[in-house]
Amino acid sequence: VGADPDGDGPAETALADPLKLASDRSVLAFINSNPWDSLADSAGNRNRRWFEGQPVDIHGLAVAGGRVRSPAHPPIASIWVNSEGRVFLGDTPGDEAVGEATAGVQQIVKEGVLVVPADGALHPRTAIGADEDGIVMWLVVVDGRQEQYSEGMDLHELGRVMIDLGCWNATNMDGGGSSIMGLAGQDGRLRVVNSPADRFLGFRRIRPLPMVLTIRKK
């Protein structure tokens, strides 16, 4: 999770370059995770131009290293890991101690069943899924909004992909221009391996994010 810019103030974190958020040498991979928004000014307006250092509010559960940065906000679907390393999707952890947690927009696969209809809304997507035992986790990023390259997927298509991979439960995370995946190469350097949708003057722009989900080498 990015730095907290105001302590006990309304902002839960500040936007940062996702490659910087995942810059620890132990990181093997990362994706974007929670939805979020800027803080409203006195007139209720929100600046959604997204810049590094911008104070924002994280939507849904966010826990890193045992520290709760953002509380759970049902019905936003939580994803968390218990003390035994099992992954749980769709429920809040209640009173159980949680070391790491994130949250998505909505659950799209529940107990092996696709629970979202086809709606035709094609967007870049990010999804997290797990098998029935909560032992295997899948991280998926779908590019979109790029003519003659990738238009994106609707939630029904995304859910079908997750089921085909073997997911028992799966959650749609923040998407659009936030969808990003990074992988470490043989040299240990992290590289963005998808094509993020944001553009500036025709060039690819990596959107600053409030947090990322990282996979680390023990």
Side-chain angles (χ1 to χ4, degrees):
V1 185
D4 186 346
D6 59 0
D8 294 331
E12 291 173 323
T13 187
L15 297 184
D17 183 333
L19 285 165
K20 293 179 181 177
L21 291 173
S23 61
D24 189 282
R25 292 183 62 85
S26 67
V27 174
L28 300 173
F30 74 86
I31 61 168
N32 65 293
S33 53
N34 291 54
W36 46 278
D37 204 350
S38 58
L39 303 177
D41 62 19
S42 58
N45 300 314
R46 299 178 187 271
N47 183 351
R48 293 184 173 131
R49 295 181 180 178
W50 314 138
F51 56 89
E52 290 189 43
Q54 182 178 7
V56 297
D57 175 46
I58 299 171
H59 295 176
L61 186 63
V63 181
R67 180 190 175 194
V68 178
R69 185 65 68 87
S70 176
H73 297 294
I76 296 177
S78 298
I79 301 167
W80 54 283
V81 181
N82 70 3
S83 59
E84 298 174 349
R86 289 188 61 195
V87 181
F88 293 84
L89 284 84
D91 298 318
T92 57
D95 295 331
E96 186 167 354
V98 176
E100 307 293 333
T102 182
V105 179
Q106 67 190 107
Q107 195 165 354
I108 55 177
V109 177
K110 186 173 183 179
E111 297 180 353
V113 178
L114 187 57
V115 294
V116 287
D119 62 7
L122 303 179
H123 297 290
R125 304 285 185 181
T126 298
I128 297 175
D131 67 356
E132 189 171 0
D133 296 323
I135 301 300
V136 180
M137 182 168 65
W138 286 269
L139 309 179
V140 171
V141 168
V142 178
D143 288 327
R145 300 176 184 168
Q146 297 170 65
E147 189 176 355
Q148 298 183 345
Y149 173 69
S150 179
E151 296 179 346
M153 286 185 175
D154 70 14
L155 292 180
H156 191 271
E157 292 171 324
L158 182 64
R160 177 55 57 192
V161 167
M162 303 308 284
I163 289 176
D164 290 346
L165 287 172
C167 296
W168 182 246
N169 291 300
T171 297
N172 171 49
M173 309 301 288
D174 191 26
S178 297
S179 287
I180 189 170
M181 177 180 284
L183 296 174
Q186 292 184 347
D187 59 0
R189 180 185 174 191
L190 279 173
R191 295 175 175 84
V192 175
V193 295
N194 72 308
S195 179
D198 274 8
R199 295 290 185 273
F200 180 72
L201 298 177
F203 295 95
R204 185 181 76 174
R205 173 181 180 266
I206 294 177
R207 178 180 293 183
L209 299 175
M211 59 183 290
V212 294
L213 173 66
T214 61
I215 302 299
R216 299 186 177 205
K217 181 190 299 184
K218 283 190 174 181

